[in-house]
Amino acid sequence: MNRSFLCIVSVLIFIGNSFAQKDKVINLPSKDKKKIHYGYYLGINKKGFKVSYELANSFVDVEEKYGFNIGLVLGYNISDNLNVRLEPGLSSNSKVLTFSNPTIPDTEKDRVRKVPATYFRIPLLLQFRTDRLDNMRAFVIGGVSYDYNFSSNQKNSDDNFEGEFRMKTNNFMYEVGLGVDFYLPHFKFSPSIRGIFAMNNELVRDNNPASPWTLPIDYYGTRGIFLNLTFE
């Protein structure tokens, strides 16, 4: 994830330098004077899990995959530098879990679990923006979200003994990030990078309390990086 973060920051710096070198024609000078504003976003994500353990002889390897984000923006300008935002949307991603436990049979069917996930996310965020410099302004953003996991399998009676890995349907996340607003002639373009962190344990334990898949695990929680491109 660190390599992805550095690449994205480098791209943002390059874009910023390109804008700074252009003639100082002020685009959309009254764009941020409206109290209520709308837009949409799309982007990519890379998600994994933070895993902590009850037993020391177990380990879960999490193979992170890339996914996509898409959604809407409803914003309210509290002041020129402070904005509150609601950003409902979909986030899709998949992970591959490989369990290392001496009591689990050494076969791919028993040790490997593919975990697809599509979340309906409702983030409520605060955005702190710098003063505008020509056609740019930087910002930091953070807040909380409710995430509904369509692929959770929480109500499925089958568990890991039948090859089904289950996650909780209702989850809560917090996110923090930074980005830049670029004022183009006809719209505002805002790339941002964000870290996403689960607040609750998303794991649904197997029906058998002694399950070698879930007994050793204390906590499963989503961790991820989002790159969003917002258009307003």
Side-chain angles (χ1 to χ4, degrees), residues 23-70:
D23 293 336
K24 294 182 180 180
V25 176
I26 303 301
N27 297 319
L28 307 175
S30 61
K31 179 67 175 178
D32 295 329
K33 296 186 183 300
K34 296 179 180 179
K35 284 294 185 181
I36 298 175
H37 53 96
Y38 309 90
Y40 67 92
Y41 65 87
L42 51 87
I44 60 173
N45 67 69
K46 190 175 185 182
K47 290 183 184 177
F49 288 123
K50 177 184 178 182
V51 186
S52 57
Y53 303 92
E54 291 279 6
L55 303 178
N57 65 341
S58 296
F59 178 74
V60 182
D61 178 70
V62 182
E63 182 182 351
E64 301 171 352
K65 302 286 187 178
Y66 285 97
F68 71 89
N69 321 311
I70 187 169

Side-chain angles (χ1 to χ4, degrees), residues 5-231:
F5 176 82
L6 291 174
C7 290
I8 293 168
V9 171
S10 298
V11 170
L12 294 179
I13 292 174
F14 174 78
I15 294 174
N17 288 337
S18 299
F19 270 72
Q21 292 169 5
K22 291 186 175 183
D23 293 336
K24 294 182 180 180
V25 176
I26 303 301
N27 297 319
L28 307 175
S30 61
K31 179 67 175 178
D32 295 329
K33 296 186 183 300
K34 296 179 180 179
K35 284 294 185 181
I36 298 175
H37 53 96
Y38 309 90
Y40 67 92
Y41 65 87
L42 51 87
I44 60 173
N45 67 69
K46 190 175 185 182
K47 290 183 184 177
F49 288 123
K50 177 184 178 182
V51 186
S52 57
Y53 303 92
E54 291 279 6
L55 303 178
N57 65 341
S58 296
F59 178 74
V60 182
D61 178 70
V62 182
E63 182 182 351
E64 301 171 352
K65 302 286 187 178
Y66 285 97
F68 71 89
N69 321 311
I70 187 169
L72 302 174
V73 174
L74 172 62
Y76 179 81
N77 288 322
I78 298 174
S79 69
D80 187 56
N81 300 105
L82 181 61
N83 177 249
V84 62
R85 303 165 71 87
L86 192 66
E87 298 186 354
L90 294 175
S91 172
S92 182
N93 185 275
S94 64
K95 280 81 65 179
V96 178
L97 307 181
T98 303
F99 290 82
S100 177
N101 185 309
T103 61
I104 297 177
D106 191 16
T107 64
E108 181 176 349
K109 177 178 70 70
D110 292 303
R111 291 191 178 272
V112 177
R113 296 287 182 266
K114 295 182 179 179
V115 187
T118 298
Y119 292 89
F120 176 62
R121 308 188 68 245
I122 309 178
L124 180 63
L125 308 169
L126 278 176
Q127 183 188 61
F128 298 90
R129 305 179 293 201
T130 64
D131 292 336
R132 179 169 172 170
L133 177 62
D134 298 330
N135 289 314
M136 296 172 50
R137 70 192 310 178
F139 63 83
V140 294
I141 191 168
V144 297
S145 71
Y146 165 72
D147 290 33
Y148 182 91
N149 186 353
F150 290 103
S151 311
S152 68
N153 277 333
Q154 181 172 354
K155 295 183 179 180
N156 192 339
S157 59
D158 293 338
D159 58 18
N160 280 292
F161 288 93
E162 288 77 35
E164 294 291 337
F165 185 82
R166 301 180 297 181
M167 303 286 291
K168 290 181 179 176
T169 302
N170 300 292
N171 302 283
F172 295 91
M173 311 277 177
Y174 70 90
E175 62 182 83
V176 293
L178 54 86
V180 182
D181 290 332
F182 296 108
Y183 296 81
L184 303 178
H186 302 292
F187 61 89
K188 183 169 71 172
F189 171 60
S190 305
S192 65
I193 183 170
R194 307 180 186 185
I196 308 295
F197 309 91
M199 292 190 285
N200 63 288
N201 190 345
E202 297 180 70
L203 177 68
V204 174
R205 298 192 178 278
D206 290 338
N207 302 321
N208 183 347
S211 166
W213 289 276
T214 59
L215 173 63
I217 305 303
D218 177 55
Y219 176 85
Y220 268 107
T222 296
R223 296 289 186 272
I225 289 181
F226 281 30
L227 172 62
N228 282 350
L229 305 177
T230 302
F231 302 84

